[in-house]
Amino acid sequence: MTEVTVNGKVFQVLISRKELEEKIEALANLINSKYSGEEPPLLVGILNGSFIFMADLVRRLHFPCTIQFIRIESYTGMSTSGVVKMEADVSPRWVGRHVIVIEDIVDTGHTLSRFIPVLKSHQPASVFVCALLFKKEALEVSVQLDEYCFLIGRKFVVGYGLDYDGYGRNLPEIYQLK
Ligand code: IMP
């Protein structure tokens, strides 16, 4: 499908399934070479948007690891509300662990800039941050982002876990607003 309507708005395909698979494979290879032989890392997925990316990434990892999800929300409709709400009171799990943070998209950077200092204040052994998408032009604060799969423009996107007001997460490709 090259065009879809999600919640009354028309979107066109931006990143195909094949492109997603190739980049996720490359990211998994990098993470495999970095963490094989280390103490088992903890992968922390940021909900809701990262669930599909996380599922596809972890199935390509070949070392022992544990997985946790936390929920952080800041978006309403197509723009950030400016208020980052975080549900995570699980800090003891982070002490001494190699933590890999998995984010769907870095846009203004406020979500990561709020979460990473909280994570680091609980003395993890190391922190590695990766995102599927990076809207570099929209960044408002500096953030730790060690790897990302795709650099995209400022346009709003849906699919592959990302939503427009709750809809569109189940689309297998990434679509951008037309
Ligand atoms: P940030 O805090 O502005 O970097 O935004 C991070 C969060 O905003 C992401 O985890 C997404 O949930 C959401 N977000 C940002 N841009 C988009 C978009 O284009 N489509 C859907 N969600 C987005």
Side-chain angles (χ1 to χ4, degrees):
M1 264 188 300
T2 55
E3 266 189 23
V4 287
T5 300
V6 177
N7 210 13
K9 296 246 188 268
V10 180
F11 291 81
Q12 63 189 17
V13 78
L14 177 67
I15 304 171
S16 69
R17 275 168 107 143
K18 187 164 175 286
E19 290 170 307
L20 285 164
E21 277 170 18
E22 285 170 0
K23 287 281 189 177
I24 291 167
E25 181 76 27
L27 177 62
N29 290 342
L30 187 145
I31 295 175
N32 276 323
S33 60
K34 195 170 157 59
Y35 289 92
S36 296
E38 292 286 339
E39 285 295 305
L42 166 65
L43 286 99
V44 178
I46 300 183
L47 290 175
N48 291 328
S50 73
F51 74 108
I52 293 180
F53 175 40
M54 177 85 151
D56 281 350
L57 183 66
V58 297
R59 282 179 289 174
R60 292 175 163 93
L61 301 181
H62 307 309
F63 49 77
C65 61
T66 57
I67 290 170
Q68 175 194 7
F69 282 101
I70 64 163
R71 183 185 304 276
I72 307 182
E73 284 173 10
S74 63
Y75 250 63
T76 323
M78 288 197 186
S79 59
T80 177
S81 66
V83 182
V84 180
K85 284 187 281 176
M86 188 162 71
E87 280 176 28
D89 186 20
V90 284
S91 43
R93 294 192 201 167
W94 300 332
V95 177
R97 299 293 305 271
H98 292 293
V99 178
I100 304 174
V101 178
I102 316 274
E103 173 67 304
D104 55 351
I105 180 167
V106 177
D107 179 23
T108 62
H110 288 291
T111 302
L112 286 181
S113 80
R114 167 97 196 276
F115 174 59
I116 301 298
V118 174
L119 170 61
K120 287 188 171 171
S121 72
H122 294 281
Q123 281 94 44
S126 67
V127 175
F128 179 82
V129 184
C130 57
L132 180 67
L133 306 173
F134 183 26
K135 281 189 196 169
K136 195 175 183 182
E137 292 163 17
L139 202 62
E140 291 176 3
V141 286
S142 73
V143 288
Q144 176 183 345
L145 181 58
D146 300 295
E147 284 295 330
Y148 55 87
C149 295
F150 299 94
L151 194 60
I152 62 167
R154 298 185 79 121
K155 276 198 177 169
F156 190 80
V157 292
V158 293
Y160 198 72
L162 290 123
D163 73 307
Y164 167 40
D165 257 352
Y167 292 92
R169 294 192 196 276
N170 54 317
L171 294 166
E173 298 94 11
I174 305 270
Y175 289 81
Q176 78 175 9
L177 189 63
K178 213 176 157 190

